[in-house]
Amino acid sequence: MRPVESRVLMPRVVASARPPSDVSGPFVCGWSAVGECAVVRVAGQIDLATAPAFDTELRHVITTKLPKLVVDLRRVTALEPAGIDVLAQAHDLAVEHGGWLRTSGAATWLADLLRTIAPRHYPTLAEALPAYRPLV
């Protein structure tokens, strides 16, 4: 009997002006600018294996693009503590750079969890964007 080969899919970060469409791996992340705000779209699982790629992308967007960002979580299927830590650290980094971090679109279980940490969560992406809902 032949041994079964296991293929490990590495996290991918997609930097484009379009939302991520290829969700073949466990994690896909991409960003686009909407006015003076960056929208980071995430799909798949944010766990111990994918958190470093998520952290790298958020830090890149905050420090080199726009420090005001909304993380769109509509397509997130799992968020482990490592992902929560990434969001909390990104929030702090955004504030250090004169910006802020908001989350949007998470499933109910995730939205309840996010309310316990610093980032503000909005039901929809439109509500989280400053053009639609000013920071209060």
Side-chain angles (χ1 to χ4, degrees):
M1 187 175 224
R2 268 177 53 187
V4 177
E5 290 183 30
S6 65
R7 186 173 164 204
V8 177
L9 297 172
M10 297 304 295
R12 294 185 325 128
V13 175
V14 180
S16 70
R18 295 185 309 251
S21 57
D22 176 14
V23 191
S24 59
F27 174 79
V28 179
C29 182
W31 76 275
S32 59
V34 178
E36 294 181 10
C37 181
V39 175
V40 178
R41 291 177 175 88
V42 187
Q45 301 175 17
I46 305 172
D47 54 24
L48 199 53
T50 60
F54 186 41
D55 180 62
T56 299
E57 184 65 5
L58 291 179
R59 286 180 179 280
H60 172 73
V61 171
I62 292 166
T63 60
T64 66
K65 305 300 178 194
L66 297 162
K68 297 175 184 175
L69 67 152
V70 177
V71 181
D72 181 0
L73 301 170
R74 284 178 291 176
R75 294 186 179 112
V76 169
T77 57
L79 182 67
E80 292 185 0
I84 294 288
D85 290 344
V86 168
L87 285 171
Q89 291 168 6
H91 173 264
D92 294 344
L93 183 63
V95 170
E96 287 174 22
H97 283 80
W100 40 258
L101 184 143
R102 299 174 182 176
T103 57
S104 72
T108 305
W109 65 269
L110 183 50
D112 291 342
L113 177 63
L114 291 171
R115 286 187 186 95
T116 65
I117 61 172
R120 295 178 181 201
H121 182 75
Y122 296 87
T124 68
L125 180 59
E127 290 175 286
L129 290 168
Y132 296 97
R133 182 181 194 126
L135 185 60
V136 179

